Amino acid sequence: MMAALLLRRDKKSTAAHLKSDLNRTDNSSGVRQLQELLDSVLNPEKPPADTEALDWCKCLIAGEEGFEEFCKTVRSYDNATLCGLVWTANFVAYRCRTCGISPCMSLCAECFNNGDHTGHDFNMFRSQAGGACDCGDSNVMRETGFCRRHRLRTGENVPSVPRDLLLMSEMVLPRFIICIIQYLRDGYTEPDTSAERDLQKVLQQLEPQITFLEELTKMGGAMRTVLTKILTNQQTFKDLSMGQEENVFAKKNYENYLSALKNSGLVSVEEKAQTGAAEPTRGSETGALGLLGAAAPSSSESNKEEDQDGQSIGQRKRVKLSSSTKDPSIMDSLKHKCFLEELLFWTIKYEFPQKMVTFLLNMLPDQDYKITFTKTFVQHYAFIMKTLMKSQESDTMSNRIVHISVQLFSNEDLARHVTEECQLLDIMVTVLLYMMESCLIKSELQDEENSRHVVVNCSEALLKNNTYWPLVSDFINILSHQSVAKKFLEDHSLLMLWMSFVSFFQGMNLNKRELSEHVEFESQTYYAAFAAELEACAQPMWGLLTHCKVKETQEYTKTVVRYCLETLQIWFDAIGFVDELAPNQVTFHLPLHRYYAMFLSKAVKCQGLDLESLLPDQEMLMRIMVHPLQIQASLSEIHSNMWVRNGLQIKGQAMTYVQSHFCNSMIDPDIFLLQVCASRLDPDYFISSVFERFKVVDLLTMASVHQNTALDGEQERPMLEGALTFLVILSSLRIHLGMADDEILRAEMVSQLCMNDRTHSSLLDLIPENPNPKSGIVPGSCSFEEMLSAVADFKAPVFELGGSMQQGMYTPKAEVWEKEFDPIMVILRTVYRRDVQSAMDRYSAFLKQSGMHTTGNPWPPYKERTPLHPCYKGLDRLLHCKTLHIVIFTLLYKIWLDHSNMSEHVLCMVLYLIELGLDNQVEEDKGDEEPCIEEHCHDSWFPGTNLLSNLHHVINYVRVRVPETAPEVKREREPPASTSAEASNFGQNVREAQVFSLVAERRRKFQEIINRSSTEASQAVRPKSSSTRWVPPGTPPQLVTEILEIHESMLSLLIKLHQKLSAKQNSLSATWLEDMDANPNRHAHGDGITAIERILTKAATRSHQSKRSIQEICGKVFPPVAPKKNSPTAKKTMDKEERRQRARERQQKLLAEFASRQKSFMETAMDVESPDTEAAMDLGASEVKESEVLYDCVICGQSGPSTEDRPTGLVVLLQASSVLGHRCKSDEAKKLPTTDEERIYPADTCGAAHDVRLALMQSFFKDSSCLQSVSIGWDGGVYVQTCGHTLHIDCHKSYMESLRNDQVMQGFSVDKGEFTCPLCRQFANSVLPCRPGRSTEVVSWHMPSNKKTSVLVKEVEDLQEQLGFFPTESNLSKEMELVIKDIKNTTQRKYMDYGKNPGSPDNDFLFMYSVARTNLELELVHRGGNLCSGGASGAAKRSCLNQLFHVLAMHMRLYSIDSAYNPWTRLTQVAPSRDNCLDDERPEVPMLFRDCPSLLIIFVLTMPQPLRKEHFICLVRMLYNLQYTQALAALSAKFSPEERQAWSTSGTLKKNAFNAEKSYEALLSHVITELSKVKTVYDVNTDEPSMLSSSVWSPQSIEYSLQQFCLPYLRLSCLLQHHLYGDNLSGCPEEEEFSGLAGCLGLLDPAPQPSNPMYSASCLDWTVSAFDLMSQWCSEVTGLADTQAEKSMTLLVQDLQWASPHLLHLPDNYNTIFQYYHKKACTACKKVPKDPALCLVCGTFVCLKGLCCKQHGICECVWHSQHCGAATGIFLLINASVIIIIRGHRFCLWGSVYLDAHGEEDRDLRRGKPLFLCVERYRVLEQQWVSHTFDHINKRWGPHYNGL
Ligand SMILES: [Zn+2]
Ligand SMILES: [Zn+2]
Ligand SMILES: [Zn+2]
Ligand SMILES: [Zn+2]
Ligand SMILES: [Zn+2]
Ligand SMILES: [Zn+2]
Ligand SMILES: [Zn+2]
Ligand SMILES: [Zn+2]
């Protein structure tokens, strides 16, 4: 009743009335009234789209003052000290590393700009997932970075909120919120119900309501407090959630909610009570563990006993929950106790609607809310992830989840709080396990049948789509907090759980080598696998490691290592690994190994732990080493093409494994682990394992022939190289063995820079992030920048001639090349093999340049290593073991004998190993090792293990097993005793000679160690498996044992190799060693010879015995070494002399050949009587004939004249251009506006001015006459350019035909006639026919004439009267018309039709002569605006103006000027003015208004061709008279009336003087007098004071002004003469341009006339009385002046000078542009474009690609390019900082003119560093625009389909 009453009243007054009721002490009636009102208003049974309810709420809350006002009032009580602005994806925000405490810190643009970050390390970024502003939050950032607003606002100054202000809100909002919740409940349907599920629709309807909530949060702290109270109040929730008892709707609604809970796998509290489980006291205290309960009843048995079978394994995998203290059964219940909880529940159910997320985040500045919300979030965490896994749009949802969670978990206090109270860590780990358990499969590694190990299946969506990332990212985020990480490390059950999680990734994505056929389908699962290991395993590992850096944390490390080893042990057992790998398998994923390795490394490096205490027994170490070693061998196999059948993806894996983002977490830990194993295991065992794993054991025999069952012949060499390289890396790498962080950074940087010059950003990207990528902090004391400047020089960005733009680059300093270049590090970090070569090439280039090594190719330099950390000293034993020495000896021997499969690289690595051994001596602990060797004296190759003493040990005999066919066999057969008999003389030797079998060696050692370390090990299994696998690969029976006689030591072999390399016997003299010591530096760089010398020197200095031995060997005279013919090394090291000799021979041979070829050519040329060859042969003789130009056809290669029948043409590019039209008066470029106040006005451009002028004329004068008085083509004129190449036009046609058939590759459109010049590949689209015959005009046409001017004038007149001569139809004339058509098609119609009758011949006439004008004007622009620099002949060659003129003239012949209207008559004769007989017709344009250059071109083009030069000069002279008169008229208009009077009077006196007709004073006076006849001409001007009237006109300034006025005409005439007659343009200083040009045109005596500087008048040449003629011209003007005074003055005083065209002036800092334009609205669609772009020619702002501004199917950018630049557009893409060029139907990315501090572009603003204008680049851009060379210089064009 009451409510109905209230409803009818107006809302505002109701609100006021209720409010006063409620403010009474007894407010019960008010409350009741309000409740009733709300009951009827907020009825959830009404459709949500009904906004009446919302209006009511607003009114009720606001009370009488209105909602807007209310908002303002509430806002004034805002006590928030945080900004907290929430943004969504794509928002532009800032991050300052200097100010940030958390690396996730971000600021809104406003806060950033209002804070002081000068000199800070900040960047702008585009938010991916959304975020919130942290300004004011001292937990996240330093206070110094707060903006002014959030720094000052302390909150205390804000008055407290009056009680009644928010009273209504407190009462109304709970009802409003439950109403929303009810809508949400009502709208939700489960995905499995048959009804169409349309969550989006429900959300859309609710949008106004949620938006309202969001608006409320923006009212500031006061309102947020109210909302927090409501959202977290349990009583209100209880009262409202279920609705009133009798309300059926509410009941059903509530049941909906319960079923939604149930369907989510969550049990409601009620049901829970039934099952009798203890109800938790708080929802948030429920653990996550029980979540697994439903699917996996936990087993208390060890996890080895999981039962598994086949496919269903994924679902049935069980995880042991080791801790019984955590009750797993409570997880599945979720009790909502307040609005916030249920609201979040629905937010999740609805998959995080954006609006709701924003609302929830907007509330965060309220601390109470933040805590409650975080708890609620954690409480729902498992549920969130379950929903995510099921979501169809997991990407969007992931982003939204992280958008929230990052805000909550980045705060350490809060994260610790929820870890302690809500078991956040348990929840996260459990949920991670739960997730991964959904996609487990049986591991096929090792024992496919019996494996009990399970791994994640990388082809599952969860992994492929990276669905787990929000969870992992949260986990990494909370682990970055020390307090949280400690909790994790202290909790053993969690660690156990975590290790079992990691083991899910151990061995995933197994590769099996395809042996027979190419794999059918290249699986791309490896992306998922590498990403998963990096993100889910490695990143948390790095996170944990950052907290294990000091002694105090030793215990943590010990625990982790223990569980790691335990889990590894379990893994080995599960996969059934005993001691031998299953063949042809490799997995790159060993996260357990890597956890173990990295914790070991940290323990030794930072925590001072003893390595020994963390290592397992020898047997375990031997197992641990197997898989990482297999990866190294596989890398080599992959590069040796042994895995080709597995497709390209396997190479992808090999590359990813070593790539900069992965190497830290993959190859580096692997190598380190192998180093640890090598330092602890028996070195002989280790070395033989390596060679066996690399499958090159068979190769390591002294025999000349061997069999290899494992490898193809061509794979042996690369695999041997791989094995040796690996050994070198293993024994020399120190990354985890003693290098400091600074040293590592330096080494990484140097190796990357040595491969290639790098940009700053690519270098940053290539340096492995260490240790924790998220921290953004480089370890060590040295910053990246400091290190960079220490090792590299900066090369500023330059623009290369080819047009490609270079960025700022860093290149290694010279001393880095000299001292620090480390080829081993380069090899380790090389992703592409070519990079190693590149580094070596650069290295040798440096050596050549610096003169350190000039002949041949240098070898990789040897580099001394950082000393080993004492813990790893054992690694050196690798270099001092007999097995390695035998290998070295064997290889040296084989190289010396030139065995196949040996290479320079093999030798290089062998020498490297020797040198490493010499430099890293093992301490004299031989004592305990020697006896051991003695015991098992299997091999007596060497007496001990020390390399230094083994070097000089001579091996006399070696027993080898070879096939019967081997050469050794034959040789040895001769003495029959030697094969089988143990002859007494051989006895000693034979016993000494040993079969060397690495396989046997390794097996023996292995057994030995196993027996020693673990006798109790199950021996029953091992022999069985070993016996099946350790059979030496198929020993063929035909092998026989032979004994080779060797008699060499390593030293002697080295010396022999030295001789071999230097190709000199006795290359080392006996005294050589003494000479050596003098200059030790010589050894650092060089080739193999240098390396051997260096090693010998080292051996000699370190051991007397070696020294003696070397001297002895050198002293001997060796028999000459037979030089091997095909030995590459011999060739390289050829003696200098010999090489010079060879060169000389080669040269002589070449000369002889040349001479004979020439002779035979002469002979054939004389034999054959061919006109072609004759013409080509002697050009001199052709002088006799009519000189005809010969053209080479670039297609058929023939050369000949262009004829009527078979015309030749120039390859040309026609393009429409508006460059001329964009010229301005001012030489300064217009400024790009960057504020609302600034604007660009286009009216003062050349194009606009000409349009105005023509329109003005057309309004007074006859249209046809107007169209002959101006030129067009300033906008949209056609520019013709050529590359200078010619071709037969018929050849061109067939060429086009062939292009048409082959349309695949081109970036151009053949259908539009586009092609590239067959010779120079320049872009072109037409062919301009060349006129047949004479090149330049025959001399006679050039002759200076001595005819009188009056005669010439008459002759010209007669010529003009001649009827148009129509050439007979020929191929040539057809082609000429075709090119005319092409020209017309080049530009748009609107640029051709200026006349009043579209399509009339007058229009065509104007357009045609304007084409000539456009090309002449553009050439002037290209010459810098004047002709002072003279005629560069190069420019003329490339010009096609002469041919163009000819074609145009041919076409113009179609038109004739009506003789009655021929301007020539009016130019040269005083005729009674034709009284305008036809009154209805408009008058013709007065001569004084006509454009002289246009007239000149018209005359030239319409007269019979070729035009004699004397006639041309005559034209120029007559027109000069007119031009000069125009100048006088224009000048006189600038005078003040007084001045005009004075000049008029003074001039009158001179009128009768001699030569008055050439006196400017007399003429000026005459013009003034004539024009003054009608008062109004000058009258107009007196009103507006002329600019120059204040200054007094002197004769000098008058002369200057006249010259300036006439100069454009003279320039154009001169240029025309240059092209028509080939006259040279002579350069001159700028101030003498006038006289220079006048002289050139013959207007002025070429001799300078210093006496008379007033030469502008002396150029005049009158054939009739000057005064009469002038009077006539003036009268034409005065005739109309009385009516159109003002207009005629405008037409008279035209300014002809235009400055060079410029692009807009850009601000220095890109941010200025970005801030203004990235959120500016488009003027057309009024929206902020998604991709805003800016025209750099005119400043127009457009919506790139926007459908909003698309018209006629053309997007705005393309449309603008057509109108602004006649299809050429230059646009700056605001959001990318990149410039794109549009040219016709194509576009290309030009690059950026804004570079960062390191001279680099930042496309798409990815890095967000400050960008600055690169003036040079911008100039290049402008120059390309002005010179129309975009098409030629930029290469990557693509069609834009009008879609830009
Ligand atoms: Zn902010
Ligand atoms: Zn701020
Ligand atoms: Zn800062
Ligand atoms: Zn040809
Ligand atoms: Zn060309
Ligand atoms: Zn524009
Ligand atoms: Zn637009
Ligand atoms: Zn738009």
Side-chain angles (χ1 to χ4, degrees), residues 83 111 135 147 150:
C83 172
C111 285
C135 188
C147 76
H150 297 114

Side-chain angles (χ1 to χ4, degrees), residues 1511-1752:
H1511 294 141
F1512 174 80
I1513 294 298
C1514 173
L1515 289 172
V1516 172
R1517 279 170 196 251
M1518 291 306 109
L1519 279 166
Y1520 179 77
N1521 295 343
L1522 177 62
Q1523 182 73 63
Y1524 190 79
T1525 312
Q1526 286 178 357
L1528 289 174
L1531 175 68
S1532 71
K1534 290 183 188 162
F1535 289 162
S1536 65
E1538 299 75 34
E1539 256 178 325
R1540 193 151 47 231
Q1541 189 54 50
W1543 281 104
S1544 169
T1545 327
S1546 69
T1548 322
L1549 302 173
K1550 307 218 168 164
K1551 241 182 189 170
N1552 298 318
F1554 164 72
N1555 224 0
E1557 292 191 335
K1558 288 194 178 193
S1559 145
Y1560 80 94
E1561 287 160 296
L1563 295 170
L1564 178 61
S1565 151
H1566 186 69
V1567 167
I1568 294 173
T1569 319
E1570 287 298 312
L1571 286 178
S1572 305
K1573 279 183 180 160
V1574 177
K1575 277 271 178 290
T1576 44
V1577 173
Y1578 290 119
D1579 279 356
V1580 201
N1581 227 23
T1582 51
D1583 301 342
E1584 35 184 303
S1586 166
M1587 299 286 272
L1588 290 161
S1589 64
S1590 55
S1591 66
V1592 179
W1593 287 89
S1594 67
Q1596 284 74 24
S1597 61
I1598 285 177
E1599 173 66 19
Y1600 177 77
S1601 161
L1602 293 172
Q1603 286 188 11
Q1604 287 302 307
F1605 197 92
C1606 297
L1607 257 177
Y1609 168 73
L1610 290 186
R1611 287 183 189 133
L1612 196 106
S1613 311
C1614 217
L1615 202 56
L1616 195 50
Q1617 174 180 275
H1618 165 70
H1619 284 296
L1620 290 180
Y1621 304 100
D1623 288 17
N1624 266 340
L1625 294 167
S1626 50
C1628 59
E1630 265 181 53
E1631 56 276 13
E1632 287 169 25
E1633 191 186 0
F1634 186 93
S1635 60
L1637 295 180
C1640 188
L1641 287 165
L1643 302 177
L1644 204 64
D1645 263 339
Q1649 301 163 305
S1651 54
N1652 182 12
M1654 305 298 174
Y1655 28 67
S1656 67
S1658 41
C1659 298
L1660 292 165
D1661 186 3
W1662 304 98
T1663 51
V1664 291
S1665 155
F1667 297 107
D1668 292 350
L1669 200 55
M1670 281 177 153
S1671 302
Q1672 177 182 305
W1673 292 338
C1674 289
S1675 70
E1676 289 169 359
V1677 175
T1678 51
L1680 17 108
D1682 40 341
T1683 45
Q1684 312 293 350
E1686 194 174 336
K1687 304 288 153 70
S1688 34
M1689 191 45 75
T1690 319
L1691 289 172
L1692 206 56
V1693 202
Q1694 57 174 320
D1695 195 342
L1696 303 164
Q1697 299 262 25
W1698 296 98
S1700 329
H1702 287 296
L1703 294 176
L1704 295 178
H1705 177 84
L1706 296 181
D1708 193 41
N1709 190 331
Y1710 189 69
N1711 202 35
T1712 319
I1713 297 182
F1714 184 79
Q1715 287 305 338
Y1716 180 63
Y1717 284 104
H1718 94 275
K1719 47 191 178 192
K1720 183 183 160 80
C1722 163
T1723 45
C1725 67
K1726 312 286 181 225
K1727 276 183 270 182
V1728 176
K1730 195 172 155 284
D1731 279 310
L1734 203 54
C1735 173
L1736 288 181
V1737 177
C1738 72
T1740 300
F1741 182 70
V1742 292
C1743 308
L1744 182 82
K1745 299 188 213 161
L1747 296 177
C1748 47
C1749 288
K1750 198 165 179 168
Q1751 36 184 319
H1752 311 298

Side-chain angles (χ1 to χ4, degrees), residues 99-117:
C99 295
I101 296 170
S102 157
C104 301
M105 164 270 205
S106 51
L107 290 172
C108 68
E110 196 183 335
C111 285
F112 178 81
N113 288 324
N114 283 325
D116 183 13
H117 299 276

Side-chain angles (χ1 to χ4, degrees), residues 1192-1198 1206 1287-1292:
D1192 295 321
C1193 173
V1194 293
I1195 293 175
C1196 66
Q1198 288 171 16
R1206 196 183 184 201
L1287 30 67
H1288 291 121
I1289 290 181
D1290 50 340
C1291 283
H1292 173 247

Side-chain angles (χ1 to χ4, degrees), residues 309 340 384 399 411 537 578 598 923 967 1245 1279 1510 1567 1748:
D309 64 308
L340 182 59
I384 292 172
N399 279 336
N411 185 319
C537 302
V578 182
M598 287 301 94
E923 272 114 69
T1245 59
Y1279 179 58
E1510 52 187 5
V1567 167
C1748 47

Side-chain angles (χ1 to χ4, degrees), residues 987-1253:
Q988 186 65 20
N989 302 333
V990 171
R991 202 175 61 78
E992 194 184 308
Q994 288 297 324
V995 177
F996 171 60
S997 163
L998 280 166
V999 182
E1001 182 68 13
R1002 192 181 74 87
R1003 182 181 169 189
R1004 188 176 57 77
K1005 287 280 179 188
F1006 183 76
Q1007 292 291 2
E1008 212 173 274
I1009 290 159
I1010 302 283
N1011 293 336
R1012 197 193 303 156
S1013 62
S1014 55
T1015 37
E1016 73 282 0
S1018 55
Q1019 287 169 341
V1021 188
R1022 199 164 291 116
K1024 202 181 90 200
S1025 70
S1026 58
S1027 66
T1028 51
R1029 289 195 180 107
W1030 282 359
V1031 169
T1035 326
Q1038 65 267 41
L1039 280 193
V1040 292
T1041 303
E1042 292 292 340
I1043 292 175
L1044 299 181
E1045 215 175 325
I1046 305 293
H1047 301 300
E1048 298 285 355
S1049 67
M1050 284 191 255
L1051 282 181
S1052 70
L1053 285 171
L1054 283 172
I1055 291 166
K1056 284 184 173 172
L1057 279 168
H1058 187 277
Q1059 294 165 351
K1060 188 183 170 79
L1061 289 176
S1062 56
K1064 258 196 264 175
Q1065 38 175 308
N1066 304 326
S1067 58
L1068 297 172
S1069 67
T1071 55
W1072 161 79
L1073 271 176
E1074 276 75 42
D1075 307 341
M1076 231 44 228
D1077 300 334
N1079 187 7
N1081 260 356
R1082 232 194 84 194
H1083 293 306
H1085 304 278
D1087 50 18
I1089 303 167
T1090 330
I1092 292 177
E1093 286 171 10
R1094 192 171 59 229
I1095 289 171
L1096 293 176
T1097 319
K1098 277 185 183 174
T1101 44
R1102 278 162 213 185
S1103 145
H1104 284 296
Q1105 228 178 325
S1106 292
K1107 188 170 182 179
R1108 228 175 304 124
S1109 177
I1110 292 170
Q1111 284 167 333
E1112 210 172 285
I1113 301 165
C1114 291
K1116 274 192 215 156
V1117 179
F1118 285 96
V1121 184
K1124 294 277 171 178
K1125 263 178 205 159
N1126 41 6
S1127 151
T1129 37
K1131 230 180 261 168
K1132 259 177 208 156
T1133 51
M1134 228 192 287
D1135 200 37
K1136 239 190 205 167
E1137 223 109 4
E1138 202 179 319
R1139 232 177 292 146
R1140 217 172 292 144
Q1141 178 61 30
R1142 290 258 176 99
R1144 218 174 294 132
E1145 284 168 15
R1146 210 171 26 243
Q1147 201 180 1
Q1148 261 156 12
K1149 200 174 148 209
L1150 218 79
L1151 279 171
E1153 216 169 87
F1154 194 75
S1156 82
R1157 216 187 300 156
Q1158 210 168 23
K1159 200 176 149 216
S1160 72
F1161 172 75
M1162 294 296 278
E1163 279 161 8
T1164 48
M1166 274 189 266
D1167 281 352
V1168 186
E1169 200 74 30
S1170 147
D1172 269 34
T1173 37
E1174 204 171 16
M1177 284 286 295
D1178 45 359
L1179 280 165
S1182 67
E1183 267 174 47
V1184 189
K1185 290 196 199 167
E1186 175 83 13
S1187 90
E1188 248 187 334
V1189 193
L1190 300 179
Y1191 300 99
D1192 295 321
C1193 173
V1194 293
I1195 293 175
C1196 66
Q1198 288 171 16
S1199 127
S1202 177
T1203 64
E1204 294 282 343
D1205 244 15
R1206 196 183 184 201
T1208 310
L1210 269 170
V1211 174
V1212 291
L1213 173 65
L1214 307 174
Q1215 67 177 301
S1217 162
S1218 293
V1219 169
L1220 290 171
H1222 282 291
R1223 290 179 299 175
C1224 293
K1225 289 283 166 210
S1226 160
D1227 200 38
E1228 226 158 82
K1230 288 182 183 177
K1231 197 171 156 291
L1232 175 75
T1234 47
T1235 61
D1236 283 334
E1237 287 73 45
E1238 293 167 296
R1239 286 197 60 188
I1240 289 180
Y1241 298 96
D1244 63 338
T1245 59
C1246 165
H1250 276 97
D1251 281 351
V1252 168
R1253 185 175 171 85

